[in-house]
Amino acid sequence: MVSAVDGGAAHLRVLADGAEAGRAGAGDHTRARNHAGAGDQAGGDVVAAADLPGRVRRLEEDHRPRWVWADTATTYPPLLRAGVRVERCQDLRLCHVILRNAAASAASALATAPDGPWDRATDPAHEPTLLDAVDPALGPEEVRAEHDRQTAAVDGSSDPGRLRLLLAAESAGALLAAEMAHDGLPWDREVHDRLLTELLGPRPPAGARPARLEALAAQIRDRLGAPALNPDSPAELLRALHSAGVEVSTTRKWELARYDHPVIAPLLEYKKLARLLGANGWAWMDAWIRPRASDGRARFHPDYVPGGVVTGRWATSGGGALQLPKQVRAAVAADPGWRLVVADAAQLEPRVLAALSRDTAMAQAGRGADLYQGLVDDGVVDTRARAKVAMLGALYGATTGESGQLMPRLVRAYPRATAVVEGAARTGERGGVVSTWLGRTSPPPPAPWHEAQRRASEPDATDADTRRARQLARDWGRFTRNFVVQGTAAEWALCWLAELRLRLRALGPGPDRPEGGALPAPGRTPGGTATGPHLVFFLHDEVIVHTPAELAGDVAAAVRESAARAGRLLFGDFPVEFALDVAVVENFAQAG
């Protein structure tokens, strides 16, 4: 256990061996102990902040422990900067959120307690900084007590095995998020500048538009007869469009594209390029693409937020790593002598739905790289495009248009799969909660939802009250319908990442292990720089590994093997395939 004490020091304590925390990755988990001190002293040791990396390194080398700490996001980065990496941990902050809300642990003391410091710790404004002891309430005794509460909550839950796996996977994801932010995504600033120049024109002075945008702005003003128009102002643009007879209610792309007017083409082009400039232009490059201290090579260091979405998907708090547009992907380039192994899971959510529903017919349709084509081959629909429309309609609750028309065909072909999403939708419409395969539970509807339902049931309710209540119920049903699938897909992805992370540690020669060593290298990296294959990007169902070129084939195999292992870990021997598209490239754009 690692926790803070006053004066910038850390408190280390050995905890008794507990139940297996789940097998979210390769390696001998039976040796993973809740470990934090150099001995079994009940009181533990107080270690100065400067001495902590050395102590952690020695314990990692000698014991391969499972570290227990309040928050990976604040505890792990100083270790990474000191060149120390750990194999596994339990992130109490992330685990608290899951257990606090999980239906499987709803009767536990942790779930039924009043709000406390760990609930405040889930708010970014109150995150604990362990080595600075910002929140005295999260000192050594409270960290130990929280660990005990979480252990009791899992042990007393209705499905402890699945919850343990979920907590282990979530904690592994936290380690990986910190490592990817530390290592950074390799980036070529010269290529980025060239791409921007080709699309926008030369870099302009601060505050000025690039030449291409300025030329498009002139066209827009001319075709709308508005010489003083600022096309970046939605209010001004909307007035000018109305004056020109384009009666749109918003300036969004999808609505503008419905109109036939000479201004539409340059306006859509302007909006696309303006978005690129704002999201990934020169100012973004200056702020987020920094040279690495060890060799000066450029890296993008985003701030990942594991569990940042209620379904368990990740978010980012800066840099927009989850929205890298195709226009700049060629700038994501491997170092000389290295390669990028890019992999994404094909039709992940439909495959997850087949697995969690135990729908063997749908799983059979997914035997291969293209589940949508499998629906065509099964005779459910006549084209791949219609198969995609039908499946997305089932996942997201489309009831009208082509999706609504195709839904009965899916119900007949795959009754188990459709029953799962339909049941989740009905539960949400009633105001209930649903859970993922491993036990992450959806939040209850917000207060306005309940108020609308109450108002619709009153004797003097109007037709408008009834319509509003029904619409809100349907909307929440669509949320819970997708929650079980998207959340379970996020769990599969976390297990994929955790397994792959450990396999990559075992692949390349690390600085602490001779080439060909069998065990994952204890976490030591010169100057904190990764020297072997390492994950550098993650987006829901897509990963990028940066690897020495000579190991690229082994890395591609590890990516595929890890995906298969994640499927078995979650769904046992159920015959579902998680197909991957894998490419070994020099830059991200080459992956297609």
Side-chain angles (χ1 to χ4, degrees):
M1 183 189 81
V2 184
S3 56
V5 296
D6 293 337
H11 185 273
L12 305 185
R13 174 183 292 177
V14 178
L15 302 179
D17 288 349
E20 179 61 50
R23 297 182 56 82
D28 181 5
H29 284 253
T30 62
R31 291 197 289 159
R33 300 187 65 207
N34 299 329
H35 212 326
D40 291 330
Q41 305 170 42
D45 295 338
V46 175
V47 180
D51 298 331
L52 183 62
R55 178 68 70 86
V56 171
R57 178 184 294 121
R58 289 192 296 274
L59 290 167
E60 190 72 20
E61 292 171 350
D62 293 343
H63 300 285
R64 297 178 63 203
R66 179 167 62 93
W67 297 89
V68 177
W69 50 46
D71 183 22
T72 303
T74 54
T75 308
Y76 198 27
L79 297 175
L80 290 170
R81 289 192 293 271
V84 177
R85 301 192 182 216
V86 304
E87 186 171 329
R88 55 174 63 83
C89 79
Q90 181 176 349
D91 186 307
L92 296 178
R93 180 178 66 87
L94 290 174
C95 294
H96 180 91
V97 176
I98 292 171
L99 295 173
R100 183 74 156 160
N101 300 310
S105 58
S108 67
L110 185 152
T112 57
D115 283 355
W118 292 94
D119 299 290
R120 293 193 296 274
T122 63
D123 180 348
H126 296 92
E127 284 186 0
T129 304
L130 293 182
L131 298 184
D132 294 331
V134 166
D135 188 346
L138 298 181
E141 295 310 315
E142 177 52 35
V143 169
R144 171 65 183 271
E146 175 64 17
H147 174 260
D148 291 345
R149 287 191 293 267
Q150 293 190 11
T151 299
V154 172
D155 290 347
S157 71
S158 59
D159 202 334
R162 292 190 184 187
L163 274 183
R164 288 192 188 104
L165 177 55
L166 176 56
L167 301 186
E170 189 87 340
S171 298
L175 290 175
L176 182 56
E179 289 169 358
M180 289 195 297
H182 173 81
D183 293 330
L185 183 64
W187 203 277
D188 191 320
R189 288 178 60 97
E190 291 185 3
V191 170
H192 190 169
D193 179 74
R194 174 173 56 78
L195 293 170
L196 293 176
T197 301
E198 289 173 356
L199 291 167
L200 301 170
R203 181 172 186 168
R209 288 192 183 92
R212 176 61 177 152
L213 279 179
E214 193 56 62
L216 287 169
Q219 288 185 45
I220 293 166
R221 295 185 189 108
D222 179 66
R223 296 181 186 186
L224 289 178
L229 171 66
N230 175 11
D232 296 318
S233 168
E236 288 187 35
L237 182 58
L238 202 57
R239 286 195 296 269
L241 287 166
H242 290 169
S243 297
V246 183
E247 295 298 330
V248 292
S249 58
T250 72
T251 60
R252 293 173 180 165
K253 174 183 175 180
W254 64 268
E255 188 170 0
L256 290 168
R258 291 163 41 195
Y259 286 82
D260 182 16
H261 188 280
V263 78
I264 299 300
L267 179 54
L268 290 177
E269 180 69 7
Y270 181 93
K271 290 175 72 67
K272 181 178 72 172
L273 294 179
R275 176 173 175 77
L276 172 64
L277 177 65
N280 299 100
W282 289 282
W284 177 88
M285 183 169 63
D286 291 344
W288 288 98
I289 309 301
R290 303 189 298 273
R292 194 164 61 178
S294 60
D295 57 15
R297 299 193 182 281
R299 292 291 188 268
F300 170 37
H301 298 274
D303 292 327
Y304 289 105
V305 183
V309 180
V310 292
T311 58
R313 277 187 166 187
W314 287 16
T316 58
S317 61
L322 305 185
Q323 296 177 336
L324 291 180
K326 289 186 177 180
Q327 297 107 308
V328 300
R329 288 189 174 186
V332 181
D335 292 342
W338 289 60
R339 295 292 184 271
L340 302 178
V341 178
V342 181
D344 67 275
Q347 302 109 23
L348 176 58
E349 289 189 4
R351 295 172 192 273
V352 162
L353 175 57
L356 67 89
S357 64
R358 289 332 212 212
D359 194 314
T360 53
M362 189 168 167
Q364 180 61 35
R367 303 283 289 187
D370 193 345
L371 180 143
Y372 297 139
Q373 185 59 44
L375 269 64
V376 177
D377 297 342
D378 280 354
V380 180
V381 292
D382 55 351
T383 68
R384 185 185 183 281
R386 285 166 65 94
K388 185 174 182 179
V389 167
M391 187 57 65
L392 294 180
L395 292 171
Y396 293 96
T399 57
T400 60
E402 188 176 14
S403 294
Q405 295 170 8
L406 294 173
M407 186 64 183
R409 300 188 188 185
L410 285 184
V411 172
R412 289 193 297 271
Y414 310 121
R416 286 179 176 270
T418 52
V420 165
V421 289
E422 288 295 320
R426 301 292 87 77
T427 298
E429 290 172 2
R430 295 191 300 268
V433 298
V434 296
S435 297
T436 61
W437 183 253
L438 293 184
R440 193 188 303 267
T441 299
S442 66
W449 187 96
H450 289 285
E451 175 58 27
Q453 307 309 313
R454 184 195 62 77
R455 176 67 187 128
S457 67
E458 292 178 346
D460 61 341
T462 65
D463 289 344
D465 292 330
T466 301
R467 286 195 301 271
R468 181 170 184 269
R470 288 176 178 171
Q471 182 61 54
L472 289 175
R474 285 193 295 269
D475 290 346
W476 200 256
R478 280 192 288 272
F479 164 69
T480 52
R481 168 192 292 269
N482 185 243
F483 183 97
V484 293
V485 181
Q486 186 181 108
T488 303
E491 292 165 354
W492 177 89
L494 280 176
C495 291
W496 180 33
L497 288 173
E499 179 74 17
L500 178 57
R501 174 178 176 266
L502 295 187
R503 287 176 184 260
L504 293 178
R505 286 165 65 97
L507 260 183
D512 298 303
R513 185 180 81 257
E515 187 170 358
L519 293 177
R524 182 187 307 203
T525 51
T529 301
T531 59
H534 56 287
L535 280 150
V536 291
F537 181 76
F538 170 54
L539 171 60
H540 306 324
D541 56 6
E542 185 172 15
V543 299
I544 300 178
V545 177
H546 193 216
T547 178
E550 65 272 15
L551 292 175
D554 293 334
V555 168
V559 168
R560 292 189 175 94
E561 291 162 2
S562 297
R565 166 68 174 152
R568 293 193 299 272
L569 189 64
L570 265 69
F571 305 116
D573 59 0
F574 183 76
V576 62
E577 289 186 1
F578 290 96
L580 300 180
D581 295 320
V582 182
V584 178
V585 296
E586 294 182 349
N587 70 67
F588 194 5
Q590 294 170 347

